[in-house]
Amino acid sequence: MGVVVAALLACEVPPRPPECTFTATTGLPDPLVSRDGACLTSPAQWPRRREELLDLFAGTIYGRAPGRPERLDFEVRARDGAAMGGAATLKRVDLVSRHQGRVHTFELLLFTPNARRPRGVFLLLSTRPDRHTDPTRVERSEYWPAEDVIARGYGIAALQTDRLAPDDRATFTRGVIELFEGPVPEAQRRRDAWKTIAAWSWGARRAMDYLETDPDVDPARVAVVGHSRGGKAALWAGAQDERFALTVSNQSGCAGAALSRRPVGETVELVNAVFPHWFADAFRRYGGREDELPVDQHELFALIAPRAVAVGSAAEDEWSDPEGEFQGLAYASPVFSLWGHAAIDPAAWPRVDEPRFTFPRGYQLRPGAHGLTGLDWQRYLDVADQLWP
Ligand code: GCU
C-alpha cells in the first residue's frame, strides 16, 4: 500500500516554484516550465526544454521535416568576380539533393562584397517571382536590394521558395517533399507531415550547409530573412537551426511572430482554411481553440534565444497584428533572461519610426502597409551593425 501511494505521488506534477508565474500573469504557455512541471532557472537546463518545444511546434504547427538527404552536393554553376560594376562577386550555386534514387535541385544566389570580407550575409527566402532576385541586376527590387546591402559591407543571398515546394494546394509536394516521400497521395500523409512552410525552412538549412563551405562567408554571421509567409518559414528555420546567428521576421503575422491567442488580424482558422498547404494538418484543430495550443509564438522566439532576432511590423498591416508580433518577441523575455539579457516589456510597444534594439532582439514598426521595403532592410542592417561591429 505504502509503495502504491509513493508511486502515485511520484507521478504527480511537482508544484511549481514561485518564480514560475508566467502563465498566471500572461495567460500564455510558460516557455520555462517543462513537460514534467519543472521550472527552469539556468541555461544549462535549456537544451532539454528546447527539444520539447521543437517537438511541440513540429507536431502541432509546422510538421515534421527530415534532415539532410542521403547525399547533398554543391555545384557552383557560375561565378562572376566583377558583378555590380566590380563591387561584388556573384556565385550561382546548385544544391543537388539525392535521396532514395530521386534527385532535387534548387539554386542559391550569393553576392559578396569585393572591398572587404563580408560583415555578415543575409539569406532571403524569396516567395516572389524570380525577377525580384535577378542575378543579372537588370531588374531591381527593394524586396532584395542587393546593391544597398553590398554597399554596407554585407553579403546577400536568396533562394526561391517555390523550387522547394510550390505555393499551391494541389502541387505543393512536387519539390523536396517528393524527394523524401515519393509521390504519396495526400490522404496517406500523416497529420504532422511537413508542408510548404517547413519545406522552405528545410531549404534555408540546406543553404546554410552550403554557406558553411564558402570561403567568402563567415558562417558565424549568417542571417535568415523572410517576409510574411517567408517570414514564418524564416522564423521556423532560425528556431530549429542554431547556425543562424540572426533571424529576421518581416511582417510574418499569424503562425509567425504574432501570438495565436490574440483574436486580432488573421486567425489560425483562417490561415488554415485559405492556405491548407502551409502547415501540418494537426494545426487545423486549433482554429477557434487557440487556448488549447500547447505552445504560442513567443516560444518560437524562445527557441532562437540566446541568438539574435529582429522583428519588423508595418503600421497599416493589421492583418499581421503588429502589436501581437511585438508581444511574441517580448514574451520570450524569460528565456532570454536565462543568459542575462534585458527583458522587453510587452506593454511598451514602440511607436512608429522608433526602432529599438534590446540586445540581442530588435523591433521596428515602420509606417505604411504590408511589404518588404528598402527601409526595412536598412533597419535590419542596423541591427547587424550592432551585433557584428
Ligand atoms: C496572406 C496570408 C498571410 C501571409 C501573407 C503573405 O495575407 O493570409 O498569412 O503572411 O499572405 O505572405 O503576404
Side-chain angles (χ1 to χ4, degrees):
M1 182 65 182
V3 174
V4 173
V5 171
L8 282 175
L9 283 175
C11 286
E12 265 177 24
V13 175
R16 288 193 333 192
E19 66 269 28
C20 272
T21 55
F22 182 88
T23 299
T25 54
T26 65
L28 295 168
D30 192 332
L32 288 179
V33 174
S34 61
R35 263 180 201 166
D36 63 8
C39 181
L40 314 193
T41 51
S42 81
Q45 298 168 308
W46 179 246
R48 214 177 122 229
R49 174 64 178 148
R50 193 179 128 75
E51 289 307 316
E52 282 183 5
L53 283 172
L54 284 170
D55 186 63
L56 286 171
F57 274 105
T60 57
I61 301 180
Y62 302 106
R64 297 186 195 283
R68 283 174 70 119
E70 284 163 4
R71 186 170 168 169
L72 178 64
D73 291 308
F74 310 124
E75 296 171 9
V76 182
R77 291 257 166 230
R79 187 181 186 286
D80 176 5
M84 294 182 186
T89 294
L90 165 68
K91 288 184 201 117
R92 302 184 65 159
V93 186
D94 275 353
L95 282 79
V96 184
S97 296
R98 292 188 173 79
H99 197 81
Q100 294 178 1
R102 292 179 289 268
V103 184
H104 175 271
T105 302
F106 73 100
E107 185 183 49
L108 181 74
L109 301 175
L110 172 65
F111 283 105
T112 46
N114 287 338
R116 53 163 294 153
R117 190 168 162 74
R119 303 175 69 133
V121 172
F122 282 78
L123 165 65
L124 176 70
L125 311 186
S126 173
T127 62
R128 294 211 178 148
D130 289 12
R131 63 188 157 78
H132 288 276
T133 57
D134 180 10
T136 71
R137 307 313 292 152
V138 171
E139 298 229 34
R140 296 197 187 178
S141 163
E142 60 178 334
Y143 182 72
W144 194 63
E147 285 73 12
D148 300 343
V149 174
I150 291 292
R152 287 191 55 172
Y154 291 85
I156 182 162
L159 59 79
Q160 290 295 132
T161 54
D162 63 355
R163 304 289 153 43
L164 295 156
D167 193 353
D168 174 69
R169 66 172 76 189
T171 59
F172 73 92
T173 56
R174 294 191 200 147
V176 290
I177 296 177
E178 284 195 0
L179 168 74
F180 283 92
E181 300 178 11
V184 181
E186 225 202 304
Q188 284 175 29
R189 301 190 76 227
R190 292 167 50 111
R191 290 184 57 71
D192 61 357
W194 58 323
K195 294 194 176 181
T196 59
I197 300 286
W200 303 342
S201 305
W202 181 92
R205 303 185 64 184
R206 301 295 72 83
M208 185 71 201
D209 293 340
Y210 167 74
L211 293 171
E212 283 190 314
T213 70
D214 188 308
D216 297 327
V217 174
D218 178 352
R221 294 179 168 201
V222 176
V224 61
V225 187
H227 165 63
S228 209
R229 64 197 70 189
K232 305 180 208 291
L235 279 173
W236 181 227
Q240 293 175 92
D241 197 327
E242 295 177 296
R243 293 174 300 173
F244 291 113
L246 168 62
T247 302
V248 179
S249 153
N250 196 71
Q251 300 151 36
S252 59
C254 181
L259 293 173
S260 296
R261 280 168 174 74
R262 277 170 56 93
V264 180
E266 187 173 31
T267 60
V268 171
E269 182 168 9
L270 285 171
V271 78
N272 284 313
V274 181
F275 304 101
H277 54 290
W278 281 5
F279 303 103
D281 287 350
F283 194 28
R284 281 187 210 164
R285 79 175 278 265
Y286 298 99
R289 297 158 68 176
E290 289 80 1
D291 279 342
E292 294 172 24
L293 272 168
V295 285
D296 209 323
Q297 299 307 105
H298 60 302
E299 292 170 300
L300 198 57
F301 290 106
L303 286 168
I304 296 170
R307 290 168 295 135
V309 58
V311 171
S313 307
E316 291 164 24
D317 182 21
E318 282 162 32
W319 188 239
S320 305
D321 183 14
E323 189 172 10
E325 295 188 312
F326 171 68
Q327 290 185 358
L329 179 73
Y331 278 120
S333 291
V335 180
F336 282 89
S337 302
L338 291 178
W339 286 269
H341 297 321
I344 299 176
D345 178 359
W349 186 25
R351 283 191 299 215
V352 176
D353 260 338
E354 289 183 5
R356 225 176 266 167
F357 184 66
T358 312
F359 182 87
R361 288 179 287 171
Y363 179 82
Q364 62 130 342
L365 177 64
R366 72 149 167 78
H370 193 65
L372 178 54
T373 68
L375 177 60
D376 292 321
W377 276 99
Q378 292 300 335
R379 293 211 168 132
Y380 302 136
L381 290 161
D382 292 344
V383 168
D385 281 354
Q386 298 188 69
L387 291 170
W388 306 319

